[in-house]
């Protein structure tokens, strides 16, 4: 069992604005595993200033090397029983192995290893689903990045013209009245029956003004708003979830909450309507299964999104979503970021209208 690690820098087609700054490049680490006959690749992609395992590149590389070395040693000593013994079966109640427990603080590394192992053992069809076989697509939302009013208006118009029936608008970067006007423009053209509108505040609202802003937004039939205030304010967030006229979804709030009991404790206190899961941020595939099942037990909805990964990570996340939610996904997922980069990695993924598909003509299964 051997491994290789490749550092790679991706370049955005246009600057991607977030509440934490503007991205022009994206650093990722590709992990390749081999047993001498088969190979698999996975992507480790922590987000600076957001991931719980974000650190300087040199330190990240050292820890990732150490993790991969231990992973390969365990494969030999345990004859194939490994971290991934629970990647496909954690939802069946089996306990994760020791290595997974050790990797809880490093979700981006865990996700990369999960993907590489599944790729090596199962081929390009990581999970045997209708989506992975190229038979059905997954509905996705059109994402409008932060920018000036004119930039956001143009991006919004482009998404609507392409036929997206669910649009996600990132807010909090410009004047709130201008953002409210953007929302109004959508509703003047399309009713909530025609276009589902999601908002992502990335924690931009101050608690004292959040409820007032949510009330103003609620007149435009918003599906949900992500993380209206900064993470870590459980009492305030719980109050907003009780009082808000808009359904609230948690995103950043979930980062770093890796213990299963703490997950249940937090959801029981805050009681959001939805949680939004990114395997690179929220515990890999195994950790996300825990989140989804815990939320489902409590009547809380969920969906899965990517976190600016290359198409390697996006492909794994999309296949994972199809495995978790089944062959007939109706709720749009956040899986369209693969088009953001000038130098992405071709994986046979394509967007047709507002659906993500695997094109089996180019995405060849290694088992055939």
């Amino acid at each position: 069992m051997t491994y290789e690690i490749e550092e790679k820098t991706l370049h955005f087609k246009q600057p991607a604005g977030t509440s934490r700054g503007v991205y022009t490049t994206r650093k990722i680490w590709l992990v390749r595993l081999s047993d001498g006959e088969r190979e698999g690749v996975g992507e480790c992609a922590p987000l600076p200033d957001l991931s719980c395992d974000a650190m300087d590149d040199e330190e990240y590389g050292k820890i990732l090397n150490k993790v991969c070395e231990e992973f390969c040693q365990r494969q030999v000593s345990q004859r194939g029983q490994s971290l991934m013994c629970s990647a496909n079966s954690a939802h069946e109640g089996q306990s994760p192995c020791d290595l997974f427990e050790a990797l809880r603080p490093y979700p981006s590394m865990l996700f990369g290893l999960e993907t590489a192992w599944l790729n090596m053992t199962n081929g390009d069809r990581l999970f045997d689903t209708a989506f992975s076989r190229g038979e059905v697509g997954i509905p996705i939302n059109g994402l409008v990045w932060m920018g000036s009013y004119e930039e956001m208006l143009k991006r919004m118009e482009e998404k609507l013209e392409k036929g997206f029936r669910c649009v996600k608008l990132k807010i909090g970067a410009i004047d709130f009245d201008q953002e409210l006007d953007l929302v109004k423009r959508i509703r003047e053209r399309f009713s909530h029956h025609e276009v589902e509108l999601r908002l992502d505040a990335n924690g931009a609202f101050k608690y004292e003004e959040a409820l007032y802003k949510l009330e103003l937004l609620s007149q435009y039939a918003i599906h949900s708003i992500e993380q209206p205030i900064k993470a870590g304010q459980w009492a305030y967030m719980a109050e907003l979830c009780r009082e808000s006229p808009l359904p609230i979804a948690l995103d950043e709030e979930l980062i770093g909450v890796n213990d299963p009991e703490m997950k249940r404790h937090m959801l029981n206190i805050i009681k959001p309507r939805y949680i939004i899961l990114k395997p690179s941020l929220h515990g890999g595939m195994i950790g996300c299964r825990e989140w989804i099942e815990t939320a489902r037990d409590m009547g809380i909805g969920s969906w899965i999104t990517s976190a600016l990964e290359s198409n390697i990570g996006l492909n794994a996340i999309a296949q994972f979503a199809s495995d978790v939610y089944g062959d007939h996904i109706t709720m749009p997922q956040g899986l369209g970021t693969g088009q953001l980069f000038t130098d992405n990695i071709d994986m046979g993924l394509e967007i047709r209208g507002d659906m993500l598909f695997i094109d089996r003509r180019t995405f060849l299964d290694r088992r055939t």
Side-chain angles (χ1 to χ4, degrees):
M1 191 77 180
T2 60
Y3 73 91
E4 294 181 0
I5 298 175
E6 176 189 357
E7 295 184 29
K8 188 175 180 64
T9 300
L10 303 175
H11 299 82
F12 285 88
K13 294 179 180 178
Q14 58 186 17
T18 73
S19 60
R20 294 169 183 80
V22 178
Y23 291 110
T24 57
T25 61
R26 177 75 164 103
K27 185 69 171 289
I28 64 173
W29 285 258
L30 299 179
V31 174
R32 291 183 172 85
L33 297 177
S34 174
D35 64 0
E37 297 180 358
R38 302 168 299 175
E39 294 184 352
V41 61
E43 177 178 355
C44 304
L47 278 170
D49 302 320
L50 185 60
S51 300
C52 62
D53 56 354
M55 60 193 78
D56 68 74
D57 293 351
E58 183 178 357
E59 183 180 6
Y60 189 91
K62 287 181 179 179
I63 295 176
L64 181 57
N65 267 284
K66 183 178 179 180
V67 166
C68 290
E69 183 177 355
E70 182 177 357
F71 180 88
C72 290
Q73 290 174 349
R74 289 189 182 220
Q75 293 308 308
V76 175
S77 63
Q78 297 179 19
R79 298 181 180 180
Q81 300 299 317
S82 71
L83 150 84
M84 294 308 301
C85 66
S86 57
N88 292 307
S89 59
H91 59 296
E92 298 173 357
Q94 298 184 19
S95 299
C97 67
D98 292 341
L99 184 55
F100 166 60
E101 291 297 330
L103 285 178
R104 282 188 182 272
Y106 306 101
S108 64
M109 298 183 194
L110 173 58
F111 176 60
L113 279 173
E114 287 176 310
T115 302
W117 175 262
L118 286 170
N119 187 204
M120 187 183 75
T121 56
N122 296 342
D124 288 334
R125 193 180 300 163
L126 307 182
F127 299 96
D128 188 17
T129 67
F131 171 77
S132 302
R133 295 191 296 270
E135 298 168 0
V136 300
I138 296 176
I140 61 175
N141 61 246
L143 179 61
V144 177
W145 284 93
M146 292 180 178
S148 68
Y149 176 85
E150 291 75 17
E151 289 170 338
M152 294 180 71
L153 179 60
K154 179 182 177 181
R155 294 166 187 167
M156 182 180 70
E157 293 287 347
E158 289 173 350
K159 296 299 181 183
L160 295 174
E161 288 174 3
K162 289 180 179 179
F164 279 93
R165 291 168 291 178
C166 177
V167 176
K168 175 179 173 179
L169 186 67
K170 283 185 172 288
I171 62 175
I174 60 177
D175 179 74
F176 178 73
D177 289 337
Q178 289 185 307
E179 292 172 335
L180 199 62
D181 184 63
L182 285 172
V183 174
K184 180 181 178 181
R185 281 174 177 260
I186 294 178
R187 281 292 168 253
E188 287 176 344
R189 288 184 54 190
F190 301 96
S191 73
H192 68 280
H193 297 294
E194 296 171 297
V195 174
E196 180 178 287
L197 186 57
R198 298 174 178 175
L199 303 179
D200 184 1
N202 287 122
F205 297 168
K206 295 180 180 178
Y207 166 72
E208 294 78 11
E209 63 186 18
L211 189 58
Y212 172 68
K213 290 183 175 181
L214 295 176
E215 289 173 349
L216 291 177
L217 290 166
S218 67
Q219 62 186 309
Y220 299 112
I222 307 299
H223 172 271
S224 58
I225 183 168
E226 297 177 36
Q227 206 69 43
I229 62 175
K230 289 183 179 179
Q233 306 177 84
W234 289 12
Y236 287 158
M237 187 66 82
E239 182 177 345
L240 285 180
C241 287
R242 288 194 305 268
E243 303 296 332
S244 172
L246 293 181
I248 290 177
L250 302 185
D251 182 357
E252 289 93 337
E253 201 76 61
L254 312 179
I255 297 173
V257 183
N258 298 314
D259 178 75
E261 290 304 315
M262 186 58 70
K263 293 176 181 180
R264 183 173 295 276
H265 180 61
M266 188 194 75
L267 293 180
N268 189 53
I269 290 175
I270 299 178
K271 294 182 172 61
R273 184 75 64 87
Y274 302 102
I275 60 173
I276 301 168
L277 296 160
K278 301 175 175 68
S280 291
L281 297 178
H282 301 133
M285 300 182 199
I286 302 173
C288 284
R289 286 191 193 275
E290 288 180 351
W291 276 115
I292 291 169
E293 291 175 8
T294 300
R296 187 177 293 155
D297 290 344
M298 303 173 71
I300 298 170
S302 66
W303 66 86
I304 291 173
T305 78
S306 50
L308 301 181
E309 293 89 355
S310 76
N311 278 332
I312 290 178
L314 176 61
N315 163 65
I317 295 168
Q319 292 200 46
F320 172 64
S322 71
D323 185 62
V324 170
Y325 296 126
D327 289 340
H328 303 288
I329 298 175
T330 57
M331 177 173 283
Q333 309 292 299
L335 304 174
T337 58
Q339 295 183 322
L340 291 176
F341 306 110
T342 62
D343 46 2
N344 210 332
I345 301 162
D346 185 16
M347 293 291 290
L349 295 170
E350 61 180 20
I351 297 175
R352 306 174 198 164
D354 64 348
M355 303 278 284
L356 180 70
F357 286 85
I358 288 179
D359 185 352
R360 301 307 303 184
R361 293 171 297 178
T362 56
F363 192 82
L364 299 178
D365 193 321
R366 295 192 185 106
R367 295 175 298 176
T368 61

